[in-house]
Amino acid sequence: MIREFLLSYPYLQRKKLIRRTEYWPTDKLKELQGSFLLGILRYAAQNIPYYQKMLDLNELNHTTEPYELLAKFPLIDKKEIRKHLNSFVRGNRIRKLRGLTGGSSGQVLIFYCDRFTTRQREKAFIFDQWSRVGYKLGDSIFSLRARTPPKDQFVQHDHFFNIYHASSFDISKLNIKKYVYYMNKIQPKFLHGYPSIIYQIALLLERCKNKLNFNYKAVLCGSEKLFDYQRKKIESVFTARVYSWYGHSEYLALGGECEHSQTLHFYPQYGYTELLPTGTKNEEGKEIYELVATGFNNQVMPLIRYRTGDYATLSENQSCKCNRNYLIIDEVIGREQEFFVDANGSLISATVLIDEAHYDVFMGLESFWIHQDTPGVVEIFLVKNERYQDELFHLMKNEMEALVGDRLRLHFSFVDKAQKTPSGKAKVVHQELDISSYLRNIT
């Protein structure tokens, strides 16, 4: 297919690897993962200044057992990376592609990936996951994520991937008919977006006189935690399987559901995921682990033993009817999305607002969080770092105000340190309104 060839050799190479190794036995997969791990560890020790300074290269070259070698690397987190950012990066300006993430903790992180390989390999894994529910590259997708079409368009068509992007920001009782109209006109095979947004669409569709005159093949939900009540409602309204997965912007770990279960199967060909015991258990008595990840797909900024800020419970049964011998995780904890309530009582996904706000000013922030206790009013608290610039802040402020229009009044305040929960974890959204009551009003 022409699309696959245009995605370049890294994509085709990873696609071929996944298909070749997908059903390998556990010991053979562990050996493959170990070879990737050994390669990225040695590369980091030889080429990345941060690791060159703290590791004995001679000792590393004589260590051939990858998991023994991994133990010599320190755990790192966003704070450590921000402190030594330049020491983590290798490559010229053309090769380096900058990314930005706030994550579930609101701690801003700038990172770099390889412009020519990282995202291409990522797509091979993402499309492979989606193929479990029937997706083929080029199938039409209606997307509700953080990508707002130009003002003169309700839907923007990405011809290369055949994705129809609609605004995730303007969903309300007043314009749900527009979404239905365009879905019926396009009749895409898949619906893709944040669970919070698709759930809201599902609730509105239940009371909308204009119904869909076609069936989606599947609903693809990513970038947020998917709750059981959301899955049930979405599957009921769209009469299609909901498929979800776990990943993050830093391209270090990726796990998705399979054809037969809702557990997350983590790709051993993508990265190495460590599960560090926390000493605590969930309500069901299952051990909660911290997710620490090392990715295989980014030589511009390889991150070794990165503390993702996410936690998980391990599946007791590490075998599955799908016959993939991958690490199986029951649930990733800590990515609970929130909404804001606008002046009209309509809901805006916090993920949408934050993802739309990937402005350069975030480079000058240590962290941020958002608070709401009044409909139509949102307070944004910012903690500056040494890169902060007034000019960039005012640009961001103007862009955010233009984005929300008269739906939200935004109040910005600078503070000295981040606000944390009693457990000590930073939290992006502090919502004091009863969101459940607004969701009930939708129906």
Side-chain angles (χ1 to χ4, degrees):
M1 183 185 290
I2 186 64
R3 285 186 174 93
E4 290 192 320
F5 284 106
L6 291 175
L7 279 170
S8 78
Y9 178 71
Y11 168 85
L12 293 169
Q13 183 188 47
R14 279 298 183 265
K15 178 183 176 181
K16 183 178 179 180
L17 173 74
I18 296 166
R19 295 295 168 85
R20 179 170 58 89
T21 63
E22 189 170 14
Y23 300 106
W24 275 9
T26 303
D27 57 347
K28 199 172 179 182
L29 272 177
K30 186 175 182 181
E31 183 180 346
L32 174 70
Q33 186 179 47
S35 67
F36 278 121
L37 181 59
L38 186 62
I40 199 67
L41 295 179
R42 285 182 171 171
Y43 174 85
Q46 292 168 356
N47 297 281
I48 304 302
Y50 179 83
Y51 296 112
Q52 286 176 321
K53 294 176 182 177
M54 66 174 57
L55 298 168
D56 184 341
L57 188 58
N58 291 327
E59 182 183 355
L60 294 179
N61 286 334
H62 285 90
T63 304
T64 58
E65 209 290 318
Y67 306 101
E68 179 185 339
L69 182 57
L70 182 69
K72 300 179 185 296
F73 283 74
L75 293 170
I76 58 171
D77 56 17
K78 287 182 179 179
K79 183 176 181 180
E80 182 70 5
I81 294 169
R82 288 200 306 270
K83 185 177 179 181
H84 304 283
L85 177 61
N86 293 333
S87 296
F88 279 97
V89 185
R90 182 178 189 269
N92 58 39
R93 183 176 298 179
I94 296 175
R95 188 181 174 193
K96 292 188 296 185
L97 181 65
R98 192 182 71 184
L100 194 65
T101 178
S104 59
S105 67
Q107 296 178 327
V108 180
L109 176 69
I110 302 167
F111 66 95
Y112 293 88
C113 65
D114 192 324
R115 185 185 302 275
F116 305 110
T117 62
T118 304
R119 294 191 301 176
Q120 292 84 344
R121 291 176 176 176
E122 168 85 0
K123 286 181 172 60
F125 287 96
I126 292 294
F127 295 159
D128 178 74
Q129 285 189 145
W130 292 358
S131 72
R132 298 171 190 171
V133 287
Y135 174 79
K136 296 179 181 177
L137 180 58
D139 282 347
S140 54
I141 296 175
F142 195 89
S143 180
L144 293 165
R145 289 175 60 83
R147 181 168 170 175
T148 302
K151 290 185 178 180
D152 60 339
Q153 299 178 37
F154 191 83
V155 172
Q156 185 177 34
H157 187 204
D158 179 337
H159 292 274
F160 183 85
F161 291 109
N162 200 17
I163 299 176
Y164 294 85
H165 295 278
S167 174
S168 304
F169 202 77
D170 300 315
I171 298 169
S172 67
K173 296 178 184 179
L174 298 176
N175 61 10
I176 184 60
K177 292 181 180 180
K178 288 185 179 179
Y179 288 89
V180 174
Y181 168 78
Y182 280 98
M183 287 182 187
N184 282 333
K185 181 180 178 181
I186 298 165
Q187 297 202 356
K189 292 185 178 180
F190 296 90
L191 179 61
H192 176 216
Y194 301 127
S196 60
I197 290 298
I198 297 179
Y199 176 69
Q200 191 179 359
I201 284 278
L203 293 177
L204 289 167
L205 277 175
E206 278 194 321
R207 68 183 301 273
C208 179
K209 294 180 180 179
N210 294 34
K211 303 297 181 182
L212 297 181
N213 56 25
F214 71 101
N215 290 323
Y216 281 105
K217 206 167 187 177
V219 180
L220 310 171
C221 289
S223 301
E224 291 177 341
K225 180 178 172 61
L226 173 69
F227 295 98
D228 287 340
Y229 74 89
Q230 293 173 328
R231 185 190 295 273
K232 290 175 182 176
K233 177 63 67 177
I234 294 168
E235 289 186 338
S236 171
V237 170
F238 291 103
T239 61
R241 157 100 189 250
V242 168
Y243 180 86
S244 70
W245 65 97
Y246 166 85
H248 46 89
S249 301
E250 297 91 328
Y251 304 107
L252 302 177
L254 181 66
E257 299 174 357
C258 75
E259 300 88 343
H260 304 288
S261 78
Q262 295 172 5
T263 56
L264 299 173
H265 297 41
F266 275 63
Y267 282 102
Q269 310 94 328
Y270 187 95
Y272 179 66
T273 303
E274 296 176 74
L275 299 175
L276 303 187
T278 63
T280 58
K281 296 182 178 181
N282 66 7
E283 294 177 353
E284 299 173 354
K286 290 185 177 181
E287 178 78 30
I288 296 176
Y289 296 91
E290 179 184 0
L291 286 178
V292 173
T294 299
F296 300 154
N297 300 311
N298 184 10
Q299 290 193 335
V300 163
M301 189 173 173
L303 298 179
I304 313 298
R305 307 195 76 195
Y306 174 73
R307 305 180 76 164
T308 65
D310 293 321
Y311 298 82
T313 55
L314 185 65
S315 178
E316 293 178 1
N317 186 2
Q318 287 295 304
S319 63
C320 182
K321 287 198 299 183
C322 70
N323 292 321
R324 296 179 184 89
N325 295 300
Y326 295 176
L327 171 69
I328 302 178
I329 285 176
D330 273 342
E331 179 187 14
V332 173
I333 304 165
R335 291 189 162 194
E336 299 186 5
Q337 76 280 14
E338 302 282 358
F339 287 98
F340 299 119
V341 181
D342 72 8
N344 304 312
S346 296
L347 299 179
I348 297 172
S349 167
T351 310
V352 172
L353 180 62
I354 293 168
D355 279 9
E356 285 279 7
H358 274 188
Y359 307 112
D360 284 342
V361 71
F362 281 166
M363 292 188 297
L365 298 180
E366 181 71 19
S367 63
F368 70 95
W369 73 93
I370 307 174
H371 175 265
Q372 183 175 40
D373 58 15
T374 304
V377 180
V378 164
E379 298 174 283
I380 302 173
F381 296 91
L382 311 169
V383 181
K384 299 178 184 179
N385 67 22
E386 65 279 0
R387 298 188 182 191
Y388 172 81
Q389 296 180 34
D390 278 331
E391 181 181 359
L392 292 178
F393 163 71
H394 288 295
L395 284 173
M396 183 202 75
K397 179 176 180 291
N398 293 338
E399 288 186 28
M400 290 187 75
E401 289 175 342
L403 182 65
V404 300
D406 57 2
R407 296 179 64 185
L408 289 174
R409 292 205 317 272
L410 305 179
H411 298 295
F412 295 85
S413 300
F414 291 97
V415 293
D416 293 331
K417 60 182 180 180
Q419 182 174 337
K420 297 187 177 182
T421 64
S423 65
K425 185 176 181 180
K427 189 178 180 183
V428 177
V429 177
H430 298 255
Q431 178 57 270
E432 296 188 32
L433 299 176
D434 180 9
I435 296 300
S436 62
S437 67
Y438 290 92
L439 285 171
R440 287 194 295 270
N441 288 337
I442 286 178
T443 56

